[in-house]
Amino acid sequence: MAKLKPSKGAPHARIKGVGGYRPTRVVPNEVILETIDSSDEWIRSRSGIATRHWASPEETVAAMSVEAAGKAIADAGITPQQIGGVIVSTVSHFKQTPAVATEIADRIGAVKPAAFDISAGCAGFGYALTLAKGMVVDGSAEYVLVIGVERLSELTDLEDRATAFLFGDGAGAVVVGPASEPHIGPTVWGSEGDKSDTIKQTVPWTDYRDGTVEKFPAITQEGQAVFRWAVFEMAKVAQQALDAAGITADDLDVFIPHQANMRIIDSMAKTLKLPEHVTVARDVETTGNTSAASIPLAMERLLATGQAKSGDTALVIGFGAGLVYAATVVTLP
């Protein structure tokens, strides 16, 4: 049996830079109330959301990604030509093929990188980050660009009282590169496919194409079931990620959960018994639920506003449609 040559990757990986892009249009709850029977007070009390961003026709998945990627690459202090991989997590790029990652790679000036899309819903950033870490450590790429991007306004049923107010658009990106010490902990990830109907697309694209339904497909969810699962089960996953990294909640500086709902975020922080010194990301208030983009967008905002600083230890966890989840501990760039 032939003996394979060992890989020449870095001993470890870390997030080197972060960038975000939010569409220019800010949509307050009052706009949502034009199509559903509700109130600003009810929306805020149920979700914590006051505003969200919706993309214009020009702010495509690719365009928003390019903006976020450029900021992340500059923040990492590298050039686009050093990017050896581009991973994009999205559920709202409506071309089945080719992967939007290939277009983004070309537009940022990367030179023949590996480029592909993944679909893991609101856990997509964690999935992509884990893949990027593996590529850097394996040696197949020195730097990998990870992007979470969504135009969920395209998949929102504005007449659905349970979901019309939840979703926003945007892109968040990070650059993952080599490190001499561990800065991205082991990932605790998985799926519970028996609960896949709790968050789903209403009907397949083919039903709309064939005229079986007249209404364009949208995202729907069973709110109470999702809330219970996220609060109780994902708090356990978050604790497992802390254990895997060999730290406790006391060692954390920052907690960045998927920005699904303020009540979920606050309940998870309480269940984890996070100390008062831990900064908790609450970007959902002004950005809404941006699925795969929510964690890097929240990370970028915390750093930009000084609520978190370079070198802080952060617990990140994403969870959503599938139902899928991914949690890990990282050092902030």
Side-chain angles (χ1 to χ4, degrees), residues 58-266:
E58 293 75 28
E59 291 169 314
T60 64
V61 164
M64 292 190 294
S65 296
V66 168
E67 292 291 331
K71 295 175 183 177
I73 292 169
D75 191 44
I78 65 169
T79 67
Q81 291 76 23
Q82 292 175 272
I83 298 292
V86 178
I87 308 173
V88 176
S89 178
T90 185
V91 299
S92 49
H93 175 59
F94 294 138
K95 286 184 179 179
Q96 195 69 39
T97 192
V100 72
T102 58
E103 177 185 347
I104 295 165
D106 179 63
R107 289 176 62 172
I108 65 172
V111 182
K112 297 183 179 180
F116 57 96
D117 299 349
I118 65 169
S119 176
C122 305
F125 176 76
Y127 274 56
L129 181 65
T130 303
L131 295 173
K133 172 188 173 183
M135 293 168 70
V136 171
V137 173
D138 180 64
S140 61
E142 184 177 13
Y143 295 98
V144 179
L145 177 65
V146 171
I147 301 170
V149 56
E150 301 292 2
R151 278 175 53 108
L152 293 182
S153 58
E154 298 273 17
L155 288 170
T156 299
D157 180 353
L158 293 177
E159 297 178 348
D160 181 359
R161 189 173 184 270
T163 61
F165 57 89
L166 287 175
F167 303 119
D169 303 337
V174 300
V175 172
V176 178
S180 58
E181 297 178 354
H183 288 286
I184 301 175
T187 299
V188 178
W189 55 355
S191 65
E192 297 184 29
D194 60 316
K195 301 179 181 67
S196 61
D197 280 349
T198 55
I199 307 174
K200 64 182 181 180
Q201 184 171 306
T202 49
V203 294
W205 301 114
T206 48
D207 283 7
Y208 182 73
R209 179 199 66 189
D210 297 340
T212 307
V213 296
E214 294 183 0
K215 205 168 189 177
F216 193 73
I219 297 173
T220 186
Q221 69 176 32
E222 298 174 15
Q224 287 302 314
V226 172
F227 180 87
R228 290 192 297 270
W229 177 76
V231 170
F232 297 107
E233 297 303 319
M234 292 305 96
K236 297 176 186 177
V237 171
Q239 183 59 55
Q240 291 170 18
L242 291 174
D243 295 341
I247 67 172
T248 69
D250 290 337
D251 299 314
L252 284 177
D253 300 302
V254 186
F255 178 45
I256 312 178
H258 163 50
Q259 302 293 293
N261 178 303
M262 193 75 79
R263 292 169 62 218
I264 291 175
I265 293 169
D266 290 342

Side-chain angles (χ1 to χ4, degrees), residues 27-45:
V27 179
N29 289 337
E30 286 73 19
V31 172
I32 308 300
L33 296 175
E34 295 174 3
T35 52
I36 61 170
D37 180 17
S38 188
S39 68
D40 178 65
E41 181 182 4
W42 187 89
I43 292 174
R44 289 174 185 257
S45 66

Side-chain angles (χ1 to χ4, degrees), residues 2-10 137-140:
K3 187 175 181 180
L4 300 181
K5 185 178 180 180
S7 62
K8 294 183 178 180
V137 173
D138 180 64
S140 61

